[in-house]
Amino acid sequence: VRAWTARTSVLINSVVIPVVRPVLFGMFVALGMTASLATLAWAAPIGVGAVIAVYALIARIGNEPRYRAARHEPSARGGIVSEFWTYSVPRTFGAIFQILITYLDVLFVGAFLSARQAGAYSISSRYIVYGTFALQAVSRAVAPQLARLLDDAKFRDSLNAVYRSSTWWTMSLSWPVLLVLAVFAPMFMSVFGPNYTIAVGSLTILALAMLANTGTGSCGVLLLMSGRTKLMLGLQAAGL
């Protein structure tokens, strides 16, 4: 669905799921929260989003001229299946690696140091989300445009222009936040109490590292949109 328009994806991930979750949590708290109900409140909105996505996909495919024309032509099914899985399998493992990159560091800190230090480090890493939100937002908006422009070599200048523009927007929104987090790390960590100031150095290092991450723009999205999922998988494996 995102390949056609970001609107439905934004509706599901940024409206439906964030709104339904607290509503369900509130209802279950009133009824008497249990671990099972908490899990249901977290997972059920994803199921609702999936139904919306499937409905939107079917509606969009039905109105796609190329699809309607293709239904009346003999299909090279084997080639399509091979092409699909060649692209998708590396993407699947890449997504797993990305989840591990996001959460494994906290487990390492807990294993090698202590649960208290892992908690402080986890807080510092969550602060970084505020500095990288622009990268996520811009990447989601620009992905369909990159895919469209990559489809024809004559649009290469436009592709470069879109990428440069999106990178500048990402930097202009992210760098001020990241620099403030790096400089005033003691103040931000002290918000949670004196025990959390042990992660001041972590917050500073992570914020400065994200300057490079956001400064290179949506390079991962560009690799995926150009079909280079194996290269992306290699980069994520190296990062892990």
Side-chain angles (χ1 to χ4, degrees):
V1 174
R2 279 175 60 186
W4 276 304
T5 173
R7 184 180 304 168
T8 303
S9 179
V10 170
L11 172 67
I12 294 170
N13 294 300
S14 302
V15 178
V16 173
I17 293 177
V19 169
V20 174
R21 271 180 178 159
V23 170
L24 287 178
F25 269 109
M27 291 171 54
F28 293 153
V29 167
L31 295 173
M33 180 68 79
T34 65
S36 297
L37 287 177
T39 304
L40 178 62
W42 185 262
I46 300 175
V48 174
V51 172
I52 297 173
V54 170
Y55 176 81
L57 181 63
I58 293 173
R60 187 67 191 236
I61 288 177
N63 294 322
E64 176 63 35
R66 287 181 295 180
Y67 173 75
R68 291 202 302 267
R71 284 187 299 180
H72 303 291
E73 299 175 0
S75 172
R77 187 179 298 270
I80 294 174
V81 170
S82 175
E83 184 178 359
F84 173 80
W85 286 112
T86 299
Y87 178 88
S88 298
V89 170
R91 182 74 185 109
T92 301
F93 286 101
I96 295 172
F97 287 175
Q98 190 61 51
I99 293 172
L100 291 174
I101 290 172
T102 303
Y103 294 105
L104 198 62
D105 51 355
V106 178
L107 299 180
F108 273 136
V109 174
F112 290 117
L113 297 176
S114 68
R116 182 172 68 89
Q117 288 170 307
Y121 174 78
S122 178
I123 292 295
S124 70
S125 64
R126 295 302 175 266
Y127 265 123
I128 300 302
V129 173
Y130 292 102
T132 58
F133 78 94
L135 179 62
Q136 302 301 322
V138 171
S139 295
R140 178 163 295 184
V142 82
Q145 299 181 52
L146 296 178
R148 176 175 57 84
L149 295 171
L150 280 163
D151 199 36
D152 196 324
K154 69 181 181 182
F155 294 134
R156 194 53 50 88
D157 290 340
S158 298
L159 175 68
N160 292 335
V162 169
Y163 191 87
R164 282 197 301 270
S165 178
S166 65
T167 302
W168 276 112
W169 274 108
T170 300
M171 292 171 62
S172 65
L173 294 171
S174 296
W175 280 27
V177 178
L178 292 169
L179 290 172
V180 168
L181 288 174
V183 173
F184 297 101
M187 181 191 72
F188 286 109
M189 294 306 303
S190 66
V191 169
F192 295 89
N195 291 333
Y196 287 89
T197 55
I198 55 175
V200 166
S202 298
L203 179 54
T204 300
I205 292 170
L206 289 171
L208 294 176
M210 287 301 145
L211 292 176
N213 185 27
T214 54
T216 54
S218 307
C219 49
V221 172
L222 183 57
L223 287 174
L224 293 176
M225 291 300 99
S226 61
R228 291 171 171 82
T229 53
K230 292 181 180 179
L231 175 57
M232 191 63 183
L233 175 62
L235 293 172
Q236 289 170 322
L240 178 60

